[in-house]
Amino acid sequence: MSALRPRRETREVSIGGVAVGGGAPISVQSMTNTKTDDVEATAAQIRRLGDVGCEIVRVAVPDRAAVAALPDIIAAAEMPVVADIHFDYRLGVGAIEAGVHA
């Protein structure tokens, strides 16, 4: 078993009001496994994650339909929403325009 290393100093950033890094406490984060364009299912899963202590949630943004759903998901979420983007910068730009927190 290896010895524990000292915690590396990092800069604190804020994701939708939740402090991450620096001296902030470790935040609980998770990711949905619903189809993001299914707003009702995604929002319900985010509520359940919040009920068990999640503080930041990631959602997959694989296509334009997911981008279109983001404003409604963000409005329903009681925690910061982070967009998980792959391979297409236009989805990232759309997610930012939709109001994601990171």
Side-chain angles (χ1 to χ4, degrees):
M1 180 147 98
S2 65
L4 294 176
R5 294 182 298 184
R7 190 170 177 181
R8 183 173 52 122
E9 285 193 40
T10 59
R11 185 171 34 134
E12 184 176 303
V13 297
S14 178
I15 299 176
V18 177
V20 177
I26 295 171
S27 57
V28 178
Q29 304 176 40
S30 191
M31 183 169 186
T32 61
N33 64 2
T34 57
K35 289 187 180 268
T36 304
D37 61 350
D38 184 343
V39 174
E40 187 175 314
T42 303
Q45 190 170 78
I46 291 170
R47 279 191 297 279
R48 289 192 303 275
L49 287 167
D51 289 345
V52 295
C54 185
E55 299 169 276
I56 298 172
V57 66
R58 284 179 25 228
V59 296
V61 183
D63 53 34
R64 298 296 298 163
V67 171
L70 287 172
D72 292 331
I73 291 168
I74 293 163
E78 294 184 4
M79 68 184 74
V81 176
V82 176
D84 192 307
I85 308 294
H86 294 267
F87 313 117
D88 188 342
Y89 76 92
R90 293 169 296 191
L91 299 174
V93 171
I96 292 166
E97 291 171 347
V100 295
H101 300 94

